[in-house]
Amino acid sequence: MASQAPAPPRAPVPPPRPGSVRRIWRTVSPYAYLAPFFTLFAAFGLFPLLYTAFVSLYRVELQAPGDMEWRGLGNYTALLGDEYFWVALRNTFTIGVLSTVPQLVMALGLAHLLNYRMRGRTFLRTAVLLPYATSVAAATLVFAQLFGRDFGLINYGLGLVGINPVDWQNGTVASQIAVSTVVVWRWTGYNALIYLAGMQSIPDELYEAAAMDGASRLRQFFHVTLPGLRPTILFTVIVSTIGATQLFGEPLLLEGSISGGISHQYQTLGLYMYEQGWGFFHLGRAAAIAWVMFLLIVVLVGLNALIARRRSRKEARR
């Protein structure tokens, strides 16, 4: 029997070139850096959103979350026939307007003042952020005492000028003003610092040219500052709109009632969802309310972006 010839030795595999490894890492590294964010977003953002949409199609009670009965769009149609849903929707809109418009106007004026050189400017810029750093629970409880009917400081001040005491927690307009005041107090300084950062990005040459043309500070504000702040203003409007739609802590803690007052006079959509889910144990209907709020936010943000885009196009044509 003939002996087998020995197999020829294998050629050694050349190590990967440093350039190719660097090229592969350059391609993969952005995805590796973004992977933790997308993993957390999928686990705590996307999955709860999709699961809430799934639950909104069933009748689910908090006492027996495993017993699910198919309803289709029944939870959504039930909302349309519930008068308290429309009350909460109207309250969300009115409180949102009462809190967002004064808040952004005051923040814009405050940022304009902080943009000038003055003594203690750094301290003032830090101080305006203190309300935002205060917890919503502490701020609302303090304002609830200030707006007290019998011993509140606000009614005491009104009495000094001859105005009768106001029932801030039972009146419809008064209670909504009280809730909006807490929101304005907490978020004005935050938006002021955002506007201040936007003002500091505007070139100084524009102000110098406007001053050489004889423009006063007021005219510089309207013709230089506001046009330069248009993207920043759009951002704050969108964020404030989202926050107003999701308003929950302030109306809940003003009186400590999940119904938003005796006649639901300041119950927002967030508080209405909490009442349905944790007060009446209707998890399916609460999930439907959450998706209605999500769709409402998408529509409002889209309208804001559309209006801003059309306005910028008109000014570009001019």
Side-chain angles (χ1 to χ4, degrees):
M1 186 174 180
S3 60
Q4 296 180 354
R10 296 181 179 180
V13 179
R17 298 179 180 179
S20 61
V21 175
R22 191 176 301 134
R23 193 179 306 111
I24 294 173
W25 173 247
R26 190 177 301 169
T27 305
V28 177
S29 60
Y31 301 98
Y33 291 136
L34 294 175
F37 166 76
F38 283 107
T39 302
L40 294 176
F41 174 74
F44 300 101
L46 185 60
F47 173 74
L49 184 66
L50 298 178
Y51 187 72
T52 302
F54 171 76
V55 173
S56 67
L57 303 177
Y58 289 83
R59 182 194 301 273
V60 186
E61 301 298 327
L62 184 62
Q63 300 91 334
D67 298 336
M68 305 177 68
E69 178 185 349
W70 172 259
R71 290 202 63 188
L73 298 178
N75 289 324
Y76 295 93
T77 56
L79 289 179
L80 298 179
D82 188 359
E83 62 173 331
Y84 292 119
F85 167 75
W86 298 106
V87 171
L89 182 62
R90 184 179 67 247
N91 293 340
T92 301
F93 176 77
T94 54
I95 294 176
V97 173
L98 290 174
S99 60
T100 300
V101 176
Q103 171 193 150
L104 297 183
V105 172
M106 293 172 58
L108 194 59
L110 187 60
H112 183 64
L113 294 177
L114 294 176
N115 195 31
Y116 288 104
R117 294 181 179 179
M118 62 179 69
R119 293 182 178 180
R121 182 174 56 177
T122 303
F123 171 76
L124 293 176
R125 291 178 179 179
T126 306
V128 297
L129 199 60
L130 291 179
Y132 171 72
T134 307
S135 68
V136 60
T140 307
L141 292 177
V142 170
F143 273 90
Q145 298 297 322
L146 293 176
F147 284 104
R149 184 186 62 180
D150 299 324
F151 305 103
L153 186 60
I154 303 297
N155 280 339
Y156 176 76
L158 294 177
L160 295 179
V161 294
I163 300 177
N164 295 327
V166 179
D167 193 353
W168 296 100
Q169 296 181 348
N170 292 327
T172 301
V173 178
S175 60
Q176 293 182 3
I177 291 176
V179 174
S180 302
T181 303
V182 184
V183 180
V184 171
W185 181 82
R186 289 194 69 239
W187 291 95
T188 299
Y190 173 82
N191 289 305
L193 289 185
I194 294 179
Y195 287 147
L196 180 61
M199 290 178 183
Q200 291 180 345
S201 64
I202 300 175
D204 294 334
E205 292 79 6
L206 298 178
Y207 291 101
E208 294 175 358
M212 292 180 63
D213 291 340
S216 62
R217 288 187 174 182
L218 184 61
R219 294 181 63 87
Q220 292 178 20
F221 176 76
F222 283 104
H223 295 283
V224 179
T225 304
L226 286 184
L229 283 180
R230 186 173 295 116
T232 308
I233 293 175
L234 177 61
F235 169 77
T236 55
V237 169
I238 291 176
V239 173
S240 299
T241 302
I242 295 174
T245 307
Q246 297 177 338
L247 197 62
F248 173 74
E250 290 84 351
L252 174 65
L253 297 173
L254 182 66
E255 191 183 5
S257 173
I258 62 175
S259 61
I262 299 176
S263 58
H264 299 254
Q265 66 268 16
Y266 59 91
Q267 185 182 49
T268 60
L269 284 176
L271 203 56
Y272 177 68
M273 178 184 65
Y274 184 83
E275 181 187 38
Q276 291 294 322
W278 300 101
F280 300 147
F281 311 129
H282 303 321
L283 294 184
R285 183 173 295 188
I289 299 170
W291 259 87
V292 169
M293 293 173 60
F294 172 75
L295 295 177
L296 180 63
I297 290 174
V298 171
V299 171
L300 292 177
V301 171
L303 287 177
N304 287 331
L306 183 62
I307 294 173
R309 184 176 301 178
R310 286 186 176 181
R311 186 172 181 178
S312 61
R313 287 179 180 178
K314 289 182 181 180
E315 293 184 357
R317 291 175 184 176
R318 293 177 184 176

PDB file of all heavy atoms in Angstrom, residues 138-155 168-169 253-254:
ATOM      1  N   ALA A 138     -43.980  70.953  45.888  1.00  0.00           N
ATOM      2  CA  ALA A 138     -43.731  72.035  46.842  1.00  0.00           C
ATOM      3  C   ALA A 138     -44.297  73.353  46.335  1.00  0.00           C
ATOM      4  O   ALA A 138     -44.931  74.110  47.089  1.00  0.00           O
ATOM      5  CB  ALA A 138     -42.234  72.160  47.103  1.00  0.00           C
ATOM      6  N   ALA A 139     -44.088  73.648  45.052  1.00  0.00           N
ATOM      7  CA  ALA A 139     -44.579  74.912  44.510  1.00  0.00           C
ATOM      8  C   ALA A 139     -46.098  74.984  44.534  1.00  0.00           C
ATOM      9  O   ALA A 139     -46.685  76.009  44.918  1.00  0.00           O
ATOM     10  CB  ALA A 139     -44.069  75.088  43.080  1.00  0.00           C
ATOM     11  N   THR A 140     -46.768  73.895  44.149  1.00  0.00           N
ATOM     12  CA  THR A 140     -48.233  73.915  44.101  1.00  0.00           C
ATOM     13  C   THR A 140     -48.834  74.017  45.499  1.00  0.00           C
ATOM     14  O   THR A 140     -49.842  74.715  45.700  1.00  0.00           O
ATOM     15  CB  THR A 140     -48.748  72.654  43.391  1.00  0.00           C
ATOM     16  OG1 THR A 140     -48.104  72.527  42.124  1.00  0.00           O
ATOM     17  CG2 THR A 140     -50.253  72.733  43.176  1.00  0.00           C
ATOM     18  N   LEU A 141     -48.254  73.334  46.471  1.00  0.00           N
ATOM     19  CA  LEU A 141     -48.774  73.411  47.834  1.00  0.00           C
ATOM     20  C   LEU A 141     -48.623  74.821  48.408  1.00  0.00           C
ATOM     21  O   LEU A 141     -49.510  75.302  49.126  1.00  0.00           O
ATOM     22  CB  LEU A 141     -48.060  72.394  48.721  1.00  0.00           C
ATOM     23  CG  LEU A 141     -48.357  70.917  48.414  1.00  0.00           C
ATOM     24  CD1 LEU A 141     -47.530  70.011  49.315  1.00  0.00           C
ATOM     25  CD2 LEU A 141     -49.843  70.630  48.581  1.00  0.00           C
ATOM     26  N   VAL A 142     -47.531  75.488  48.100  1.00  0.00           N
ATOM     27  CA  VAL A 142     -47.360  76.864  48.567  1.00  0.00           C
ATOM     28  C   VAL A 142     -48.388  77.782  47.907  1.00  0.00           C
ATOM     29  O   VAL A 142     -49.031  78.622  48.569  1.00  0.00           O
ATOM     30  CB  VAL A 142     -45.925  77.345  48.289  1.00  0.00           C
ATOM     31  CG1 VAL A 142     -45.796  78.847  48.549  1.00  0.00           C
ATOM     32  CG2 VAL A 142     -44.932  76.585  49.157  1.00  0.00           C
ATOM     33  N   PHE A 143     -48.578  77.634  46.609  1.00  0.00           N
ATOM     34  CA  PHE A 143     -49.543  78.480  45.910  1.00  0.00           C
ATOM     35  C   PHE A 143     -50.974  78.158  46.334  1.00  0.00           C
ATOM     36  O   PHE A 143     -51.840  79.041  46.295  1.00  0.00           O
ATOM     37  CB  PHE A 143     -49.389  78.316  44.398  1.00  0.00           C
ATOM     38  CG  PHE A 143     -48.365  79.231  43.801  1.00  0.00           C
ATOM     39  CD1 PHE A 143     -47.042  78.844  43.702  1.00  0.00           C
ATOM     40  CD2 PHE A 143     -48.723  80.490  43.356  1.00  0.00           C
ATOM     41  CE1 PHE A 143     -46.093  79.681  43.156  1.00  0.00           C
ATOM     42  CE2 PHE A 143     -47.781  81.345  42.807  1.00  0.00           C
ATOM     43  CZ  PHE A 143     -46.461  80.943  42.711  1.00  0.00           C
ATOM     44  N   ALA A 144     -51.242  76.921  46.724  1.00  0.00           N
ATOM     45  CA  ALA A 144     -52.572  76.588  47.239  1.00  0.00           C
ATOM     46  C   ALA A 144     -52.868  77.355  48.516  1.00  0.00           C
ATOM     47  O   ALA A 144     -54.016  77.772  48.756  1.00  0.00           O
ATOM     48  CB  ALA A 144     -52.671  75.079  47.479  1.00  0.00           C
ATOM     49  N   GLN A 145     -51.844  77.560  49.350  1.00  0.00           N
ATOM     50  CA  GLN A 145     -52.032  78.373  50.542  1.00  0.00           C
ATOM     51  C   GLN A 145     -52.180  79.852  50.201  1.00  0.00           C
ATOM     52  O   GLN A 145     -52.977  80.567  50.814  1.00  0.00           O
ATOM     53  CB  GLN A 145     -50.837  78.175  51.490  1.00  0.00           C
ATOM     54  CG  GLN A 145     -50.668  76.755  51.982  1.00  0.00           C
ATOM     55  CD  GLN A 145     -51.847  76.289  52.809  1.00  0.00           C
ATOM     56  OE1 GLN A 145     -52.412  77.052  53.591  1.00  0.00           O
ATOM     57  NE2 GLN A 145     -52.242  75.032  52.632  1.00  0.00           N
ATOM     58  N   LEU A 146     -51.432  80.303  49.205  1.00  0.00           N
ATOM     59  CA  LEU A 146     -51.546  81.708  48.807  1.00  0.00           C
ATOM     60  C   LEU A 146     -52.925  82.017  48.244  1.00  0.00           C
ATOM     61  O   LEU A 146     -53.464  83.110  48.465  1.00  0.00           O
ATOM     62  CB  LEU A 146     -50.469  82.042  47.773  1.00  0.00           C
ATOM     63  CG  LEU A 146     -49.019  82.019  48.247  1.00  0.00           C
ATOM     64  CD1 LEU A 146     -48.075  82.284  47.082  1.00  0.00           C
ATOM     65  CD2 LEU A 146     -48.791  83.050  49.341  1.00  0.00           C
ATOM     66  N   PHE A 147     -53.507  81.051  47.520  1.00  0.00           N
ATOM     67  CA  PHE A 147     -54.819  81.256  46.916  1.00  0.00           C
ATOM     68  C   PHE A 147     -55.959  80.757  47.804  1.00  0.00           C
ATOM     69  O   PHE A 147     -57.057  80.508  47.319  1.00  0.00           O
ATOM     70  CB  PHE A 147     -54.891  80.548  45.557  1.00  0.00           C
ATOM     71  CG  PHE A 147     -54.155  81.268  44.462  1.00  0.00           C
ATOM     72  CD1 PHE A 147     -52.921  80.810  44.025  1.00  0.00           C
ATOM     73  CD2 PHE A 147     -54.696  82.393  43.870  1.00  0.00           C
ATOM     74  CE1 PHE A 147     -52.241  81.458  43.015  1.00  0.00           C
ATOM     75  CE2 PHE A 147     -54.015  83.060  42.859  1.00  0.00           C
ATOM     76  CZ  PHE A 147     -52.782  82.594  42.434  1.00  0.00           C
ATOM     77  N   GLY A 148     -55.699  80.583  49.075  1.00  0.00           N
ATOM     78  CA  GLY A 148     -56.761  80.161  49.983  1.00  0.00           C
ATOM     79  C   GLY A 148     -57.885  81.182  50.054  1.00  0.00           C
ATOM     80  O   GLY A 148     -57.647  82.392  49.981  1.00  0.00           O
ATOM     81  N   ARG A 149     -59.105  80.708  50.232  1.00  0.00           N
ATOM     82  CA  ARG A 149     -60.253  81.620  50.221  1.00  0.00           C
ATOM     83  C   ARG A 149     -60.328  82.469  51.483  1.00  0.00           C
ATOM     84  O   ARG A 149     -60.586  83.682  51.415  1.00  0.00           O
ATOM     85  CB  ARG A 149     -61.535  80.806  50.071  1.00  0.00           C
ATOM     86  CG  ARG A 149     -62.799  81.659  49.961  1.00  0.00           C
ATOM     87  CD  ARG A 149     -64.048  80.803  49.974  1.00  0.00           C
ATOM     88  NE  ARG A 149     -64.158  80.069  51.239  1.00  0.00           N
ATOM     89  CZ  ARG A 149     -65.159  79.226  51.530  1.00  0.00           C
ATOM     90  NH1 ARG A 149     -66.098  79.005  50.637  1.00  0.00           N
ATOM     91  NH2 ARG A 149     -65.190  78.602  52.694  1.00  0.00           N
ATOM     92  N   ASP A 150     -60.105  81.876  52.645  1.00  0.00           N
ATOM     93  CA  ASP A 150     -60.304  82.588  53.907  1.00  0.00           C
ATOM     94  C   ASP A 150     -59.031  83.242  54.439  1.00  0.00           C
ATOM     95  O   ASP A 150     -59.073  84.364  54.949  1.00  0.00           O
ATOM     96  CB  ASP A 150     -60.862  81.627  54.959  1.00  0.00           C
ATOM     97  CG  ASP A 150     -62.211  81.059  54.546  1.00  0.00           C
ATOM     98  OD1 ASP A 150     -62.997  81.796  53.921  1.00  0.00           O
ATOM     99  OD2 ASP A 150     -62.469  79.868  54.838  1.00  0.00           O
ATOM    100  N   PHE A 151     -57.907  82.537  54.334  1.00  0.00           N
ATOM    101  CA  PHE A 151     -56.673  83.050  54.933  1.00  0.00           C
ATOM    102  C   PHE A 151     -55.538  83.178  53.913  1.00  0.00           C
ATOM    103  O   PHE A 151     -54.369  83.240  54.283  1.00  0.00           O
ATOM    104  CB  PHE A 151     -56.223  82.132  56.086  1.00  0.00           C
ATOM    105  CG  PHE A 151     -57.291  81.937  57.130  1.00  0.00           C
ATOM    106  CD1 PHE A 151     -58.024  80.766  57.165  1.00  0.00           C
ATOM    107  CD2 PHE A 151     -57.550  82.927  58.058  1.00  0.00           C
ATOM    108  CE1 PHE A 151     -59.007  80.577  58.138  1.00  0.00           C
ATOM    109  CE2 PHE A 151     -58.529  82.750  59.019  1.00  0.00           C
ATOM    110  CZ  PHE A 151     -59.266  81.576  59.064  1.00  0.00           C
ATOM    111  N   GLY A 152     -55.877  83.174  52.635  1.00  0.00           N
ATOM    112  CA  GLY A 152     -54.847  83.279  51.610  1.00  0.00           C
ATOM    113  C   GLY A 152     -54.289  84.679  51.486  1.00  0.00           C
ATOM    114  O   GLY A 152     -54.992  85.685  51.692  1.00  0.00           O
ATOM    115  N   LEU A 153     -53.006  84.773  51.156  1.00  0.00           N
ATOM    116  CA  LEU A 153     -52.358  86.071  51.037  1.00  0.00           C
ATOM    117  C   LEU A 153     -52.886  86.853  49.835  1.00  0.00           C
ATOM    118  O   LEU A 153     -52.936  88.089  49.872  1.00  0.00           O
ATOM    119  CB  LEU A 153     -50.846  85.870  50.916  1.00  0.00           C
ATOM    120  CG  LEU A 153     -49.968  87.120  50.925  1.00  0.00           C
ATOM    121  CD1 LEU A 153     -50.151  87.886  52.226  1.00  0.00           C
ATOM    122  CD2 LEU A 153     -48.507  86.748  50.720  1.00  0.00           C
ATOM    123  N   ILE A 154     -53.296  86.153  48.775  1.00  0.00           N
ATOM    124  CA  ILE A 154     -53.808  86.848  47.595  1.00  0.00           C
ATOM    125  C   ILE A 154     -55.106  87.579  47.933  1.00  0.00           C
ATOM    126  O   ILE A 154     -55.288  88.765  47.589  1.00  0.00           O
ATOM    127  CB  ILE A 154     -54.025  85.851  46.442  1.00  0.00           C
ATOM    128  CG1 ILE A 154     -52.720  85.100  46.123  1.00  0.00           C
ATOM    129  CG2 ILE A 154     -54.548  86.567  45.207  1.00  0.00           C
ATOM    130  CD1 ILE A 154     -51.606  85.975  45.645  1.00  0.00           C
ATOM    131  N   ASN A 155     -56.024  86.887  48.600  1.00  0.00           N
ATOM    132  CA  ASN A 155     -57.280  87.537  48.975  1.00  0.00           C
ATOM    133  C   ASN A 155     -57.059  88.644  49.999  1.00  0.00           C
ATOM    134  O   ASN A 155     -57.798  89.642  50.026  1.00  0.00           O
ATOM    135  CB  ASN A 155     -58.258  86.503  49.532  1.00  0.00           C
ATOM    136  CG  ASN A 155     -58.953  85.723  48.427  1.00  0.00           C
ATOM    137  OD1 ASN A 155     -59.021  86.167  47.280  1.00  0.00           O
ATOM    138  ND2 ASN A 155     -59.462  84.558  48.765  1.00  0.00           N
ATOM    139  N   TRP A 168     -60.834  80.840  44.874  1.00  0.00           N
ATOM    140  CA  TRP A 168     -59.915  80.427  43.820  1.00  0.00           C
ATOM    141  C   TRP A 168     -60.018  78.947  43.474  1.00  0.00           C
ATOM    142  O   TRP A 168     -59.590  78.544  42.400  1.00  0.00           O
ATOM    143  CB  TRP A 168     -58.479  80.750  44.223  1.00  0.00           C
ATOM    144  CG  TRP A 168     -58.206  82.203  44.380  1.00  0.00           C
ATOM    145  CD1 TRP A 168     -58.147  82.904  45.538  1.00  0.00           C
ATOM    146  CD2 TRP A 168     -57.975  83.148  43.331  1.00  0.00           C
ATOM    147  NE1 TRP A 168     -57.880  84.228  45.290  1.00  0.00           N
ATOM    148  CE2 TRP A 168     -57.766  84.411  43.948  1.00  0.00           C
ATOM    149  CE3 TRP A 168     -57.918  83.049  41.936  1.00  0.00           C
ATOM    150  CZ2 TRP A 168     -57.502  85.554  43.200  1.00  0.00           C
ATOM    151  CZ3 TRP A 168     -57.656  84.195  41.197  1.00  0.00           C
ATOM    152  CH2 TRP A 168     -57.458  85.429  41.822  1.00  0.00           C
ATOM    153  N   GLN A 169     -60.552  78.132  44.339  1.00  0.00           N
ATOM    154  CA  GLN A 169     -60.599  76.697  44.096  1.00  0.00           C
ATOM    155  C   GLN A 169     -61.944  76.205  43.587  1.00  0.00           C
ATOM    156  O   GLN A 169     -62.033  75.072  43.106  1.00  0.00           O
ATOM    157  CB  GLN A 169     -60.231  75.938  45.378  1.00  0.00           C
ATOM    158  CG  GLN A 169     -58.800  76.185  45.829  1.00  0.00           C
ATOM    159  CD  GLN A 169     -58.444  75.405  47.070  1.00  0.00           C
ATOM    160  OE1 GLN A 169     -59.309  74.854  47.732  1.00  0.00           O
ATOM    161  NE2 GLN A 169     -57.155  75.367  47.404  1.00  0.00           N
ATOM    162  N   LEU A 253     -52.635  68.832  42.762  1.00  0.00           N
ATOM    163  CA  LEU A 253     -52.220  69.224  44.096  1.00  0.00           C
ATOM    164  C   LEU A 253     -52.830  70.543  44.564  1.00  0.00           C
ATOM    165  O   LEU A 253     -52.682  70.894  45.732  1.00  0.00           O
ATOM    166  CB  LEU A 253     -50.691  69.335  44.154  1.00  0.00           C
ATOM    167  CG  LEU A 253     -49.934  68.027  43.897  1.00  0.00           C
ATOM    168  CD1 LEU A 253     -48.441  68.291  43.808  1.00  0.00           C
ATOM    169  CD2 LEU A 253     -50.240  67.019  44.986  1.00  0.00           C
ATOM    170  N   LEU A 254     -53.500  71.271  43.671  1.00  0.00           N
ATOM    171  CA  LEU A 254     -54.076  72.540  44.078  1.00  0.00           C
ATOM    172  C   LEU A 254     -55.121  72.338  45.158  1.00  0.00           C
ATOM    173  O   LEU A 254     -55.188  73.108  46.129  1.00  0.00           O
ATOM    174  CB  LEU A 254     -54.690  73.256  42.874  1.00  0.00           C
ATOM    175  CG  LEU A 254     -55.294  74.627  43.169  1.00  0.00           C
ATOM    176  CD1 LEU A 254     -54.206  75.610  43.581  1.00  0.00           C
ATOM    177  CD2 LEU A 254     -56.049  75.159  41.960  1.00  0.00           C
TER     178      LEU A 254
END
